[in-house]
Every structure is written in C-alpha cells, then in structure tokens.
Amino acid sequence: MINYTEITIVFILLSVLLSLSSSRLMTLVKLMALQGGAVSLVPLLLEGTQHLPMGELLFFQVMILIKCIIIPGLLVLAVKRVRIKREIEPFIGYHASIVAGLVILLVSVFVTGYLKLSLPEGHNFVLVSAITTMAAGFFLMMARRKAITQVIGYLMLENGIYLIGTALTNPSHTLYVVEFGVLLDLLVGVMIMGIILHNINSAFDDADTTLLGRLKD
Amino acid sequence: MIEFVFLLPIIMGLIILALPPSVGRLLLLITSLMHLQLTVMTWLGKFTPAFAQLFKATPEGLYILLITSFIFFCISVYAFAYVNETDITNKPAFNGCMLLFLGTMSMVTLSDHPIMLWVAVEATTLVSAPLIFIHRSKEALEATWKYVIICSVGIALALLGCFFMTLSLDLTNIRVPLSYTSLYKVASSLDPIWLKTGFIFVIIGFGTKMGLAPMHTWLPDAHSQAPSPASSLLSGALLNCAFLGIYKMHILMVAAGLGQFSSNLLIGFGLFSMFVGAIFIINQPDYKRMLAYSSIKNMGIIAFGVGIGGFALYGAFLHILHHSLIKSSLFLSAGNILLGFNTKKVKKIGGMIKYLPKTFVSFIAGFVAISGLPPFGMFLSEVVIIIGAIQSGKYLAVTMFMLAVLIVFAGIGKACLSMSFGDEVEKLQTKERMLRVIPPYVLLAASVIITIWMPQPVYNTIINSIQIIGGKIHG
C-alpha cells in the first residue's frame, strides 16, 4: 500500500531544498505553487477523506485554489512586472544554502525526536517537514536581497506554521470561519506586498531591499 | 449582535473606497460617531454576541474598545480638515482605510478565540499599510515595506504560539472549545511546558506589533512616515490592541500558576524597551520619530507594570488610557506643526509661540503630560506603578524605571523648547484651523478630567480586568 502522506511530505521537503538552490525567480514561484498544493493536501490525507462532510471538502478546495493557484499567480504577475529574472549576488551562496537546508532538516529530525510528543501515527514526519519548512523560510528571508524572494520566504514560513498547526493540534478545534480568516489574511498580505514591491521597483529601478536604507537613526 | 461594532466600520470603509472624497470624509466623521454610540451600547450590555465562541465582551477588551473609539472620533474630526489640506493623491483610500483600521481594531478587542484574535491583529497590519504608504515617497515606501514584512513575520510567530497553546490543551484529556474564557477555567490542568513555549512566541509575536524592543524597528519609521492622523491612531490605538493579545495570554499563564515566568518576561522586555526608547529620544533630529520612541518607552512602562502586578497593574491600565489620549494628542499637534512648517526636523522649526500659538499650547501641554507631570493622568499612573514596584520589593527595577523616565524628560524637553522658542529656519506655510486645533485639546482635557474624576463604570471595568490576575487598588 502506498502511503500518500509520506509522498506528499517528500514533495514538500524537495520543494524546500530546491527553492534554497534556485536562482531563477520563476522557478521559485513554481516551487511555491507545488509546496502550497502539497501543504493543503496534508490535513486531508491525515484525516482520511471518507469521513469528511461536504463543507470541509469545499473548504479544502478553496484552500488549494488560494495556495496553489491564486497566490502563485499573483507572484507570477509581480515577477513579470518587475522584470527581474534571477537573484544576483545573494548574501549567502546557493551551495551554502543547500548545505544549510540539509543541516536544518537534520536539526528538525533531532528536535522532533527530542520533544517526545505522543503524536498519532504519521504526524511525526509532518512535524519534521513543518519545522524544516519554517526554518528554511526564515533562512530564505535573511539570505536573499530581492524583495520578491523575501515574500516567498514569508510564504514558506507561513506554510510551515500551517503544517505545525495540522500536525500538532486536534482537528476537533478547527473552525472553518477562523481557518478561512487566516487564509484571507495571507492572501491580502501577499497582494499588499506585491503592490509595494511594484512601487519599490518603479521608485528605485530595482526590487533590491539593500536600497531601502534611507530611514535611520 | 455585538459584531455590529466592527462590521459597521468595515462595511462603511469598503463603501467609502468607491465614493468621491468629499462624501467620504463626511461619512468618516458620521461612522466614527456611530461607532462611539455602538461602543457605549456595548458597555451598557445591550448586545449579545451572535458567534459566542468567537466573540465576547470581556472587561479588558471593552476598556481598549472605548479608548479606541473615543480617540478615533477625535482623530476623525481632525482628519475631516486635514485630508483637504495635504497632498494626498488617493483620498478615498485614506478615508476608507482609516475606517477599515477602526473596524479591525474593534474586532481585536472583542475576539475571544485566540486564532480569531490573531486574524484580527494581522488584518490591522494589512489595512494600515496603505495609510503609511499614502504619501508615496521613497521613504514612505521603505517604511511600509519594513512595517508589512516585520509585523507579518512577527505575527506569524504569534500564530505558532497560539498553536502551542492549543497543543497544551490537547495533551490533556479535557475537551473544551478553544476560547480564552473556557481556557481560563481549565488553566491549571494545561500542559505547562507548551504553555510556556507558547507564551514566549506570543510575547515575541504580538510584542513586535506592540513595539517592544528589540522587535520595535518598524515603529519609528512607520510613525514618522504615516500622515499624522494615521500615526496618531497607530500609537494611540493599535499598540494597545497588540498589548491585549499578550495580556489575554498572560491571564492564562497566571491562572495556570506560571505567572512568575510570564511576569519576569514582561518586566524584562518592559525595562529594555524603556531604555531603548529613552536612548534614541536624546538628540533625535525628527520630532515625529521622537514621539514614536516615546511610544516604545511607554509600551515598555505598560509591560513593566503588568509584569509587576498587584497595585502596579492598576497603574499599567491607567497608563494605557492616558498614554493613548496624550500621545494621539501630541501626534495631532505634530501634524499641525508639519502642515505649518513642512518639515520634520526639530532644528528647522522655531518660534511656534509666535506663528502657531494654539498648537504651541497643545504641544507644550502634551510635553508636560507625556513627561508625567501633574495635572495630567500619566503622573498618577507612573506614581502608582512606582509604588506597586516598591511594594513588591523590586528596587533595582524601580531605579532603572525612574532613570529612563528622567532621560526621556530631558530629551523631549530640549526638542520641545527649541521648537517653541528658538529661531525659525523655515517659513510658516499653512495657518492653523479650528478643526485641527480642537481635537488635541479635547484629548488632553479628557486626560485631566479622568485624573480628577474617574467615571464609575470605567473604574469598575478596570478593576474587573485586573482582578482576575490579582491586580488590586488597595496596596
């Protein structure tokens, strides 16, 4: 029998490692679409689809729509508008980033083992990938200069936190009004970041965050 | 339907986005008045929540809601005149986002579900970002970018904290709905390790939004670049809402018997914020940044007072009220100065007493108030916090507290006096108008009146909010 949860988690981990190594922004956005889709599938696979009422299925569809299509779509628009194809001269190089990603993965396996939480079967791997995704998102935000890569880092961080939420908490707490609120915040957040990004690009002729250094004490 | 309190401004804000600015600014004023009315009705207990698991009128929430609503009304009067006198290109966005901002902040104050509270706090970041960006300069762009990125990441950590809080409930065998009210009841059986971890993430996350050092870096930039009514709202209302997120979790910690842990964290962050605020105020060249650092210092005082607990907790709640009134008044005065001289540099401004006499009075009175001198309320709240801290035997902390207050007094005093009586460099460009002068006066007067005569319902609400974690009025 094929364990679909583990396959999905492998996809998430691969997308994390690949995004740390890729310099092309379009590739990064595609990886985010893959990751967003995989992340929204995990709770569905963990719970099992046969017990789900209609309303919940509908919610997961909306979630996949937002995380896998709308947000990456917005990012594609942003990348096309700012007309930058790749990240040049990151603070931390790509090879070093992959090594850092692997170290993060090892540390999260260790941390998950150390916590000794009595999690249900299969949730341990979710926790490992959640911590890895979160930490890698942080890493991406700090290691890259372009504003758009920082937005992608933020999305990864948010994906990781969502995974922790699904791995750790009991699904009986889930209120779909609240979950939808979280999702809406994320969507509007990315839209606003995209608008500011576009304005940074037209004001400074580049979407490089190192140019933002006018306000100081 | 208690939800009307936040739905009304949100719906009106969305409508205003589509209307011409001349109608928009009038609607802003009317909606703020209606919101004040709804707030008073909520205080009288006329509403019951439709979604009882998500929203609830808690005393601490009602207290912050009343402050927010009153300040917003004063600011909307000011904004009514202000919006026509500055070069804002997108006036509907300004008016609309002001109301959306009010709506999301009211939602924070009424939330009882931890994640709903998180959703509302994150929403305040998103709807206030366009307000900071409204002038469209390169500096405004930088401030907005920092604001959105730093606050979003910070608040994402708070979400993680909320998940840990949920985990601490799941590890027990108790099954209660996830809301603060029901969590308080079962607090003592929650898992302490995860509760502690959750509190660390919550204080870092919401502390970013509240402006606690060292996560404060967005605050001076955003406050100095936003138009003055928006800075005044950010400082007077938004920081309180973020504080509410920490305070609700602090109550849970105390109820779970981990009060020592969370209090120490609050005292530490509080003292550090006070010092960071004080150090950057000295010789600050930009007066709006100076006021922003003063907010960081005052948020530090509030965190400190809550951490000390007991009598100081009462002082902290008084401080929230008076800081909001005084600081928003000061930002409105600063807006008048900015309109008058068209510069934010302290050195280029002088002779306010000659050119802007009415603003001079409100600015100097605001300076006296923010320095903690009588007859304004901050005198009372700071004295109460000091007495409370001495009672609990934290002498070193009190010494540091007083030192920071002294440094701030010197720093703001120097800037204020040179702006009022020094020689001017820039010429006066815009004269004062009554609508822009009265709101700062009203806010300051409110602080004086509440010091002398505190209305009984307000007093009861403060007592109800602090009693639950052992705050008291009789030392």
Side-chain angles (χ1 to χ4, degrees):
Chain A
M1 187 197 147
I2 308 168
N3 190 333
Y4 289 106
T5 319
E6 285 179 9
I7 294 176
T8 322
I9 287 169
V10 167
F11 271 113
I12 295 174
L13 287 177
L14 272 180
S15 73
V16 168
L17 288 178
L18 279 174
S19 63
L20 285 177
S21 71
S22 76
S23 66
R24 289 181 182 276
L25 293 176
M26 223 27 132
T27 317
L28 268 179
V29 174
K30 282 176 195 160
L31 283 169
M32 283 319 291
L34 172 73
Q35 197 183 70
V39 161
S40 21
L41 278 177
V42 168
L44 210 61
L45 292 170
L46 283 176
E47 279 181 57
T49 36
Q50 57 269 44
H51 309 296
L52 280 179
M54 207 46 211
E56 296 194 17
L57 273 178
L58 210 65
F59 171 76
F60 280 113
Q61 281 175 6
V62 172
M63 178 147 154
I64 292 174
L65 184 73
I66 290 180
K67 282 208 166 174
C68 187
I69 296 168
I70 299 181
I71 288 180
L74 285 171
L75 289 176
V76 168
L77 274 183
V79 171
K80 281 195 175 153
R81 278 219 177 152
V82 298
R83 266 174 275 148
I84 314 165
K85 288 216 172 66
R86 52 172 75 224
E87 175 98 28
I88 305 160
E89 293 171 17
F91 292 123
I92 300 172
Y94 299 105
H95 296 290
S97 299
I98 295 187
V99 174
L102 290 172
V103 172
I104 289 171
L105 183 56
L106 279 178
V107 171
S108 10
V109 172
F110 176 74
V111 167
T112 313
Y114 181 76
L115 289 175
K116 288 198 186 71
L117 288 166
S118 53
L119 290 171
E121 181 66 30
H123 286 233
N124 257 332
F125 286 118
V126 183
L127 193 57
V128 171
S129 65
I131 297 174
T132 313
T133 315
M134 224 182 87
F138 252 123
F139 181 81
L140 208 60
M141 290 187 87
M142 284 185 286
R144 304 288 186 263
R145 311 163 82 105
K146 299 287 180 215
I148 191 150
T149 327
Q150 295 188 345
V151 176
I152 289 172
Y154 168 68
L155 274 175
M156 245 161 97
L157 174 74
E158 192 78 50
N159 276 344
I161 290 175
Y162 178 77
L163 271 182
I164 287 192
T166 49
L168 292 183
T169 56
N170 192 323
S172 67
H173 293 307
T174 315
L175 285 174
Y176 288 93
V177 186
V178 178
E179 297 259 316
F180 191 70
V182 176
L183 213 54
L184 197 67
D185 270 352
L186 184 66
L187 181 62
V188 178
V190 172
M191 271 167 75
I192 286 181
M193 284 173 195
I195 294 168
I196 306 168
L197 194 78
H198 175 61
N199 280 296
I200 290 178
N201 193 55
S202 50
F204 292 92
D205 287 325
D206 195 353
D208 196 329
T209 46
T210 43
L211 294 171
L212 300 172
R214 289 169 166 251
L215 299 170
K216 268 189 211 139
D217 282 302
Chain B
M1 272 270 289
I2 211 168
E3 287 83 0
F4 274 136
V5 180
F6 60 82
L7 283 179
L8 171 82
I10 289 178
I11 292 167
M12 292 303 274
L14 290 174
I15 293 174
I16 282 178
L17 286 177
L19 291 177
S22 51
V23 187
R25 65 176 192 148
L26 197 65
L27 272 180
L28 175 70
L29 197 60
I30 295 169
T31 314
S32 69
L33 199 60
M34 282 160 70
H35 185 265
L36 194 59
Q37 162 86 10
L38 283 176
T39 303
V40 172
M41 281 166 73
T42 316
W43 267 68
L44 297 174
K46 300 278 183 208
F47 295 125
T48 45
F51 297 96
Q53 202 194 333
L54 299 179
F55 302 105
K56 187 169 182 280
T58 53
E60 65 272 13
L62 282 179
Y63 183 61
I64 307 261
L65 178 65
L66 183 67
I67 298 173
T68 309
S69 190
F70 177 71
I71 287 176
F72 191 88
F73 175 63
C74 295
I75 293 173
S76 69
V77 174
Y78 182 94
F80 184 76
Y82 180 88
V83 77
N84 274 2
E85 289 178 86
T86 42
D87 52 340
I88 294 174
T89 41
N90 196 345
K91 283 174 185 164
F94 175 79
N95 290 326
C97 284
M98 287 287 274
L99 278 181
L100 287 176
F101 196 22
L102 174 69
T104 47
M105 284 192 294
S106 312
M107 196 166 153
V108 175
T109 60
L110 293 173
S111 297
D112 192 36
H113 188 286
I115 306 206
M116 201 64 214
L117 186 105
W118 182 89
V119 169
V121 173
E122 173 69 14
T124 58
T125 314
L126 301 176
V127 296
S128 54
L131 289 175
I132 298 171
F133 180 54
I134 211 100
H135 284 310
R136 290 169 178 263
S137 61
K138 284 185 175 177
E139 286 81 9
L141 205 54
E142 181 183 340
T144 320
W145 179 255
K146 280 188 187 165
Y147 176 61
V148 173
I149 285 287
I150 295 175
C151 285
S152 295
V153 171
I155 296 172
L157 293 180
L159 182 62
L160 192 57
C162 292
F163 282 139
F164 287 148
M165 196 192 330
T166 320
L167 178 66
S168 74
L169 173 68
D170 283 342
L171 288 176
T172 63
N173 289 321
I174 308 160
R175 286 290 161 263
V176 289
L178 187 66
S179 72
Y180 279 111
T181 320
S182 47
L183 280 175
Y184 295 156
K185 285 177 195 148
V186 296
S188 50
S189 35
L190 297 179
D191 188 77
I193 307 249
W194 286 104
L195 218 49
K196 277 185 188 172
T197 322
F199 186 76
I200 292 174
F201 278 101
V202 164
I203 198 172
I204 289 176
F206 288 137
T208 310
K209 196 79 197 261
M210 185 184 166
L212 292 179
M215 297 86 73
H216 67 280
T217 44
W218 63 272
L219 197 145
D221 297 345
H223 282 61
S224 67
Q225 294 306 318
S228 302
S231 340
S232 161
L233 263 186
L234 282 172
S235 193
L238 176 69
L239 304 185
N240 296 342
C241 291
F243 163 75
L244 198 62
I246 298 178
Y247 185 69
K248 279 182 186 268
M249 178 98 191
H250 178 60
I251 297 179
L252 185 64
M253 294 294 282
V254 174
L258 303 166
Q260 194 68 41
F261 176 79
S262 57
S263 299
N264 284 342
L265 270 177
L266 280 167
I267 293 173
F269 273 116
L271 279 176
F272 189 57
S273 308
M274 279 156 66
F275 266 89
V276 168
I279 287 163
F280 282 100
I281 278 176
I282 304 170
N283 283 331
Q284 178 59 245
D286 178 332
Y287 57 87
K288 277 184 91 175
R289 283 182 88 86
M290 180 181 81
L291 293 178
Y293 278 112
S294 157
S295 290
I296 295 174
K297 173 216 144 203
N298 282 300
M299 285 300 127
I301 291 180
I302 292 166
F304 178 78
V306 172
I308 297 273
F311 194 42
L313 186 57
Y314 178 68
F317 265 75
L318 280 184
H319 203 85
I320 292 172
L321 172 66
H322 292 296
H323 169 253
S324 295
L325 292 171
I326 294 164
K327 188 51 67 62
S328 45
S329 157
L330 268 172
F331 267 114
L332 293 183
S333 303
N336 285 340
I337 299 169
L338 182 58
L339 272 183
F341 290 99
N342 200 19
T343 174
K344 286 179 203 151
K345 296 273 174 265
V346 172
K347 283 207 178 113
K348 290 193 174 169
I349 293 172
M352 256 165 58
I353 188 166
K354 197 161 63 185
Y355 298 106
L356 300 169
K358 298 189 191 90
T359 306
F360 159 76
V361 174
S362 65
F363 197 64
I364 284 289
F367 155 63
V368 170
I370 205 79
S371 312
L373 298 174
F376 297 96
M378 228 175 234
F379 169 71
L380 190 65
S381 62
E382 283 181 2
V383 166
V384 169
I385 292 177
I386 289 172
I387 294 173
I390 290 175
Q391 275 174 351
S392 55
K394 299 204 163 52
Y395 299 108
L396 183 66
V398 173
T399 321
M400 289 165 75
F401 177 101
M402 292 207 262
L403 188 66
V405 172
L406 202 66
I407 297 173
V408 170
F409 174 67
I412 300 189
K414 194 181 157 203
C416 266
L417 296 181
S418 88
M419 280 163 74
S420 305
F421 306 108
D423 299 321
E424 72 275 18
V425 178
E426 299 279 325
K427 289 243 165 55
L428 186 69
Q429 298 182 350
T430 318
K431 284 189 179 155
E432 294 171 316
R433 282 188 53 196
M434 264 345 249
L435 274 182
R436 283 191 287 112
V437 173
I438 293 171
Y441 279 107
V442 171
L443 287 164
L444 284 175
S447 173
V448 176
I449 291 170
I450 290 173
T451 312
I452 300 166
W453 172 74
M454 167 91 80
Q456 196 62 33
V458 176
Y459 175 77
N460 290 343
T461 309
I462 297 182
I463 295 299
N464 286 338
S465 357
I466 64 177
Q467 233 165 16
I468 186 165
I469 56 168
K472 52 187 183 273
I473 181 94
H474 304 292

